[in-house]
């Protein structure tokens, strides 16, 4: 639970990306994928940029930048995200935007597939956290998870 509290306070205190950071992201993504990145709220964009800074492999930048893109479908803020996560942890059924938030991996994977993202990007959005799915390099998967969890 400590990591969830740390993420909550990190989320609410994060600064939005600068225009220079957004320009850099634009050069790293196709137009379709950048359009998805921009749908993310500024806190998720900040997190994604930080994850991308922590990966040492250019082949993983797209996955790092877009792994949480499905959260944009829910439009749930920090408190709603926290409550949805707690409700899920104690097996309380949720619906509406909380359900969309909890399903952000599946939603994001579908969004990325439609936009033509790389296989690792689609898989990481869809299945993280968790073990690497078949066909995905465990080394790449663990590098992304480590960068996401720092």
């Amino acid at each position: 639970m400590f990591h969830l509290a740390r993420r909550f306070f990190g989320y609410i205190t994060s600064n939005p990306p600068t225009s220079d950071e957004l320009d850099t992201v634009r050069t790293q993504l196709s137009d379709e994928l950048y359009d998805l990145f921009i749908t993310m709220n500024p806190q998720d964009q900040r997190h994604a940029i930080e994850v991308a800074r922590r990966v040492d492999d250019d082949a993983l930048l797209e996955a790092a930048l877009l792994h949480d893109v499905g959260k944009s479908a829910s439009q749930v803020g920090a408190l709603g995200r926290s409550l949805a996560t707690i409700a899920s942890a104690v097996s309380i059924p949720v619906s509406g935007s909380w359900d969309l938030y909890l399903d952000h991996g599946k939603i994001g994977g579908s969004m990325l597939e439609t936009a033509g993202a790389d296989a690792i990007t689609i898989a990481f959005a869809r299945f993280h956290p968790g073990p690497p799915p078949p066909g995905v390099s465990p080394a790449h998967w663990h590098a992304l998870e480590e960068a996401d969890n720092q």
Side-chain angles (χ1 to χ4, degrees):
M1 276 304 217
F2 175 74
H3 78 282
L4 293 176
R6 184 172 50 93
R7 279 203 175 178
F8 173 81
F9 287 108
Y11 180 88
I12 64 172
T13 61
S14 67
N15 292 317
T18 66
S19 59
D20 286 345
E21 289 171 320
L22 291 175
D23 288 344
T24 298
V25 170
R26 182 181 287 279
T27 67
Q28 295 168 330
L29 299 173
S30 70
D31 290 343
E32 293 82 10
L33 295 177
Y34 183 75
D35 288 346
L36 288 179
F37 180 85
I38 291 302
T39 68
M40 294 166 40
N41 70 40
Q43 294 90 346
D44 289 330
Q45 291 173 359
R46 165 62 52 212
H47 169 68
I49 290 168
E50 295 303 323
V51 172
R53 286 184 176 143
R54 292 189 287 259
V55 295
D56 280 337
D57 188 335
D58 287 348
L60 302 179
L61 288 177
E62 182 181 287
L65 289 168
L66 294 166
H67 69 281
D68 283 334
V69 72
K71 291 179 181 179
S72 64
S74 70
Q75 298 297 308
V76 175
L79 183 58
R81 290 175 178 206
S82 297
L83 293 173
T85 301
I86 292 166
S88 176
V90 296
S91 300
I92 296 173
V94 298
S95 61
S97 58
W98 285 12
D99 190 43
L100 289 174
Y101 172 73
L102 294 174
D103 254 356
H104 75 270
K106 184 171 88 173
I107 293 166
S110 295
M111 293 166 70
L112 292 164
E113 196 167 36
T114 300
D118 291 341
I120 183 81
T121 304
I122 296 165
F124 195 64
R126 191 171 277 151
F127 298 116
H128 88 283
V136 173
S137 160
H140 284 163
W141 189 268
H142 295 303
L144 285 165
E145 282 199 324
E146 185 176 316
D148 187 34
N149 290 325
Q150 288 181 2

